[in-house]
């Protein structure tokens, strides 16, 4: 077991009852969400007093040990007049993302929503004077996408009693319990009262938070909005689902509700000189890899101080959305496929009708196994190590349907080692060609079979 799986399994062990919690059904089916890290740190964008500050952009206050009094002055400059909630939500939709999670408060402590608990927030402290969370909530409702809030519950480098800032405030005199009771809880209450239905609260870096404090925050969230999910980084093995480490994907299938938060370049918050963009191929294959192991992919964008999502992110998200437009059936609402550890790709599965994936309408058909072929075999003969399965038919997903068979069927032969599907000699999709196997009868493949040839 890798460390990553260990982390997820340990977190899940403690909440085994939650494995079948129907409140997570939409989330289990969604597979792909948009993460947005947006805050004052987008102004320095990785540079302070003429120096490039190493590390992720949203950590600049800590990395450069910027005094509160100086960092606060950024608020007076923050005027993202190009922010357009409709455009952001529409981008998430076109990318095929089903939920959106945005930083309401990150570790720098600046509130990107209108809080009445203090004035260090985007409405009271900036020339912008608008509440982007209100605008996003309205747009998400209008465009039919779920909205969640990131909230840094432990680290707050601005609040004298929050964790993390030891250059302005002495750790010895901090009243962390008072900060949780009198600041964090009222703000979580605001987020869950003023913005309509919130699909999840994404807590982060639990560090010193106690089990009682984590528990009381989970209870508060569920008391205010029972359907609102809490991610695993509330700490102390609580929360509704487990979080993998940043950008980390387990090696094998994980029987847990889990998510990988990930960046498109290296930073979360906007950083001008971070141009290490992952390719669309890498992003699509990571999404499929994660779905094939039962997880969700929460993929980040870091908008600029003007309110613009960087063009390289937009281009990549649209490319993923274009692929999902043709192949989404093999991702959304699926479960880990029957074949794990495949040399040439990944597999996902949609159960037969009568046992639909949670929240999915019954497909009205047989079990469909999706073979995601990353490395197309020379000559097009694909070996599928499923020896005891009768295949009703095999077809290429997204190929033009014909009136009789609903898609281009591929010849299949069965042998003792499994099936051979004969596809075209050249990969129809160099990134990921999806071959669908419709199993005859109730295939009942079950997840987790490893490719014996590996
Ligand atoms: O410290 C944060 C970081 O800034 C970012 O928000 C990521 C997203 O998963 N979480 C923390 C590090 O794991």
């Amino acid at each position: 077991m890798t460390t990553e799986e260990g982390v997820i399994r340990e977190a899940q062990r403690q909440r085994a009852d939650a494995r079948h919690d129907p409140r997570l059904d939409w989330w289990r089916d969604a597979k792909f969400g948009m993460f947005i890290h947006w805050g004052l740190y987008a102004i320095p964008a990785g540079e302070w007093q003429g120096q490039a500050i190493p590390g992720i952009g949203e950590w600049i206050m800590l990395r450069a040990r910027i005094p509160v009094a100086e960092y606060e002055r950024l608020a007076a400059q923050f005027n993202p007049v190009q922010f357009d909630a409709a455009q952001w939500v529409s981008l998430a939709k076109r990318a095929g993302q089903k939920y959106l999670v945005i930083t309401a408060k990150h570790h720098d402590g600046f509130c990107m929503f209108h809080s009445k608990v203090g004035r260090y927030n985007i409405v009271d402290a900036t020339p912008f004077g608008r509440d982007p969370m209100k605008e996003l909530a309205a747009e998400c409702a209008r465009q039919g996408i779920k909205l969640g809030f990131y909230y840094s519950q432990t680290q707050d480098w601005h609040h004298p009693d929050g964790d993390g800032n030891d250059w302005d405030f002495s750790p010895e005199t901090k009243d962390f319990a008072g900060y949780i009771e009198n600041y964090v809880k009222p703000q979580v209450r605001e987020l869950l009262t003023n913005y309509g239905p919130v699909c999840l609260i994404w807590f982060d870096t639990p560090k010193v938070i106690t089990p009682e404090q984590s528990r009381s925050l989970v209870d508060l969230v569920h008391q205010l909005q029972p359907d609102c999910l809490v991610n695993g980084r509330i700490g102390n093995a609580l929360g509704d689902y487990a979080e993998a480490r940043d950008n980390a994907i387990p090696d094998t299938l994980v029987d847990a509700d889990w998510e990988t938060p990930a960046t498109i370049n290296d930073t979360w918050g906007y950083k001008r000189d971070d141009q290490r963009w992952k390719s669309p191929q890498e992003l699509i294959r990571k999404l499929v890899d994660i779905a094939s192991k039962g997880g969700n992919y929460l993929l980040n964008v870091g908008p600029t101080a003007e309110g613009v999502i960087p063009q390289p992110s937009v281009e990549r998200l649209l490319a993923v959305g274009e692929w999902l437009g043709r192949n989404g059936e093999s991702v959304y609402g699926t479960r880990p496929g029957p074949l794990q550890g495949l040399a040439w790709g990944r597999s996902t599965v949609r159960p037969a009708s009568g046992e639909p994936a949670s929240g999915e309408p019954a497909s009205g058909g047989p079990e469909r196994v999706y073979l995601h072929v990353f490395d197309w075999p020379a000559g097009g003969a694909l070996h599928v190590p499923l020896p005891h399965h009768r295949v009703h038919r095999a077809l290429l997903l997204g190929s033009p349907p014909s009136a009789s068979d609903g898609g281009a069927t591929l010849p299949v032969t069965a042998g003792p080692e499994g099936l051979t599907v004969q596809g075209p000699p050249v990969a129809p999709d160099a990134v990921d060609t999806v071959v669908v196997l419709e199993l005859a009868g109730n295939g009942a493949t079950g997840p987790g079979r490893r490719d014996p040839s590996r």
Side-chain angles (χ1 to χ4, degrees):
M1 195 191 297
T2 62
T3 313
E4 193 55 40
E5 290 159 58
V7 167
I8 295 173
R9 287 207 176 119
E10 176 53 23
Q12 195 63 23
R13 190 179 61 76
Q14 315 237 0
R15 58 174 93 87
D17 293 351
R19 196 67 185 98
H20 303 289
D21 185 343
R23 294 182 313 119
L24 279 84
D25 283 351
W26 71 265
W27 183 88
R28 293 186 186 112
D29 291 345
K31 300 290 175 217
F32 191 29
M34 174 180 275
F35 214 175
I36 303 178
H37 276 66
W38 195 38
L40 296 182
Y41 37 79
I43 299 174
E47 195 182 306
W48 195 253
Q49 295 175 339
Q51 298 287 312
I53 307 299
I56 44 186
E58 71 283 6
W59 273 68
I60 193 164
M61 183 177 175
L62 181 138
R63 295 260 190 266
R65 300 177 79 78
I66 304 170
V68 163
E70 262 181 61
Y71 192 86
E72 269 181 345
R73 287 205 280 273
L74 291 171
Q77 295 172 45
F78 196 64
N79 195 14
V81 288
Q82 293 185 58
F83 166 69
D84 180 342
Q87 259 182 30
W88 288 15
V89 175
S90 156
L91 175 63
K93 287 205 74 167
R94 288 192 293 158
Q97 294 167 312
K98 304 292 188 189
Y99 58 111
L100 187 155
V101 183
I102 181 161
T103 45
K105 181 182 83 131
H106 202 266
H107 310 329
D108 67 352
F110 186 71
C111 296
M112 293 293 285
F113 65 104
H114 192 196
S115 176
K116 299 276 167 56
V117 196
R119 294 185 58 79
Y120 195 49
N121 70 76
I122 189 161
V123 175
D124 294 324
T126 75
F128 188 56
R130 283 159 46 191
D131 182 344
M133 303 299 146
K134 271 264 187 273
E135 295 176 29
L136 282 167
E139 268 310 317
C140 284
R142 196 175 68 79
Q143 298 193 41
I145 186 167
K146 290 180 184 289
L147 175 67
F149 292 127
Y150 174 109
Y151 186 90
S152 177
Q153 80 278 28
T154 300
Q155 294 198 73
D156 188 318
W157 306 326
H158 179 266
H159 195 292
D161 296 316
D163 182 80
N165 182 342
D166 58 6
W167 58 97
D168 285 288
F169 312 114
S170 158
E172 279 75 52
T173 56
K174 283 188 183 187
D175 174 14
F176 184 74
Y179 155 78
I180 292 282
E181 283 306 313
N182 305 321
Y183 193 71
V184 171
K185 286 186 182 171
Q187 289 204 325
V188 168
R189 185 177 286 278
E190 290 180 320
L191 289 171
L192 289 165
T193 309
N194 299 337
Y195 298 91
V198 175
C199 71
L200 58 89
I201 301 277
W202 214 97
F203 293 106
D204 204 2
T205 61
K207 296 181 73 189
V208 298
I209 196 168
T210 66
E212 293 71 29
Q213 288 163 340
S214 295
R215 164 56 61 203
S216 65
L217 276 171
V218 172
D219 290 347
L220 177 65
V221 170
H222 290 159
Q223 173 208 322
L224 292 167
Q225 292 202 24
D227 289 336
C228 181
L229 305 179
V230 172
N231 76 328
R233 292 198 193 164
I234 184 62
N236 298 298
L238 292 167
D240 292 309
Y241 63 88
E243 210 66 66
R245 283 176 300 120
D246 295 347
N247 287 303
I249 303 177
D251 291 338
T252 57
L253 167 70
V254 178
D255 183 21
D257 293 311
W258 63 274
E259 175 182 70
T260 292
T263 51
I264 299 185
N265 47 353
D266 287 337
T267 184
W268 303 87
Y270 178 68
K271 196 172 177 191
R272 204 169 293 108
D273 66 0
D274 180 352
Q275 299 297 330
R276 283 176 23 109
W277 304 100
K278 298 174 184 74
S279 69
Q281 168 169 304
E282 199 178 337
L283 299 173
I284 291 166
R285 289 185 176 180
K286 282 182 191 296
L287 168 63
V288 168
D289 186 21
I290 289 168
S292 79
K293 294 165 183 165
N296 278 16
Y297 193 31
L298 185 62
L299 188 58
N300 183 72
V301 294
T304 65
E306 290 74 39
V308 176
I309 296 178
Q311 192 56 22
S313 294
V314 172
E315 286 161 15
R316 282 153 181 80
L317 288 172
L318 292 179
V320 178
E322 194 272 328
W323 183 89
L324 279 167
R326 287 181 282 112
N327 297 287
E329 180 196 318
S330 66
V331 174
Y332 304 121
T334 61
R335 299 292 172 261
L339 291 157
Q340 298 285 318
L342 285 164
W344 42 254
R346 302 289 181 272
S347 77
T348 53
V349 68
R350 180 178 306 281
S353 57
E355 44 172 327
S358 54
E360 282 281 299
S363 62
E367 177 169 327
R368 284 164 85 89
V369 173
Y370 302 99
L371 306 172
H372 294 266
V373 190
F374 297 167
D375 299 313
W376 193 254
L382 184 70
H383 176 66
V384 186
L386 273 178
H388 303 298
H389 291 81
R390 284 193 303 125
V391 172
H392 169 57
R393 63 176 181 167
L395 50 121
L396 286 174
L397 191 63
S399 60
S402 75
S404 56
D405 64 10
T409 55
L410 304 173
V412 183
T413 50
E417 300 292 305
L419 311 168
T420 301
V421 180
Q422 184 58 54
V426 177
D429 184 333
V431 172
D432 176 7
T433 300
V434 182
V435 173
V436 188
L437 296 182
E438 282 187 0
L439 300 188
N442 188 342
T445 45
R449 189 186 159 78
R450 287 194 72 80
D451 179 352
S453 65
R454 285 193 88 197

